[in-house]
Amino acid sequence: MAVTIAKATAKLGVVGGTVYFTAKEGLWGNSKETNDAYKRLKSKTLDEWLPASVDMKPSTSKKLVSKPLTQKKEETPAVKSQQPSQYNACVNTVFKTLADLPETVPVKVNSVVTYFKNLG
């Protein structure tokens, strides 16, 4: 029982932290704010994301990455024009899924219960 509670608490912590981080970065705003957040996140290097205590030296003598991690990718203009519509489609899908949860969860729970009853 305690392990189950600990697992659930850890999962909620990860989800809560993710939602907090994405909200803080501006991912849940309008499409312009999301595009700005995307540019900010894309411009950061791996060294800026990781704390100083993380050692990034490979444990083997082989190179793990062929290009330096600080190299930035070039812009792709074809994707930029599609971002607002893709963002809106993603938001619509998320909220439709959330709206359908009251009908979906009981059906899925019943199918799981039926599956385990048929095992025994």
Side-chain angles (χ1 to χ4, degrees), residues 29 57 60 71-72 81-82:
K57 293 179 184 172
T60 63
Q71 183 178 6
K72 297 177 186 171
S81 64
Q82 298 172 357

Side-chain angles (χ1 to χ4, degrees), residues 6-19:
K7 284 182 182 179
T9 304
K11 289 177 186 179
L12 285 173
V14 169
V15 170
T18 303
V19 170

Side-chain angles (χ1 to χ4, degrees), residues 17-42 49 83-84 86-88 90-91 94-95:
T18 303
V19 170
Y20 172 78
F21 174 76
T22 56
K24 184 177 135 191
E25 288 296 323
L27 246 52
W28 298 100
N30 59 30
S31 60
K32 183 187 179 322
E33 291 172 352
T34 301
N35 195 24
D36 293 341
Y38 172 73
K39 286 178 185 175
R40 276 194 320 277
L41 295 174
K42 185 178 173 187
W49 284 106
Q83 280 180 342
Q86 290 175 343
Y87 169 81
N88 290 335
C90 181
V91 169
V94 167
F95 283 101

Side-chain angles (χ1 to χ4, degrees), residues 3 18 23-24 28-29 38 44 47-48 51 75 86 98 111:
V3 174
T18 303
K24 184 177 135 191
W28 298 100
Y38 172 73
K44 291 188 179 185
D47 294 332
E48 293 172 315
E75 297 258 347
Q86 290 175 343
L98 290 173
S111 67

Side-chain angles (χ1 to χ4, degrees), residues 51-90:
S53 62
V54 175
D55 184 19
M56 285 301 297
K57 293 179 184 172
S59 59
T60 63
S61 61
K62 294 180 182 179
K63 276 190 157 185
L64 297 177
V65 179
S66 60
K67 295 181 183 178
L69 294 176
T70 56
Q71 183 178 6
K72 297 177 186 171
K73 287 190 165 195
E74 62 277 354
E75 297 258 347
T76 51
V79 173
K80 259 186 159 177
S81 64
Q82 298 172 357
Q83 280 180 342
S85 63
Q86 290 175 343
Y87 169 81
N88 290 335
C90 181

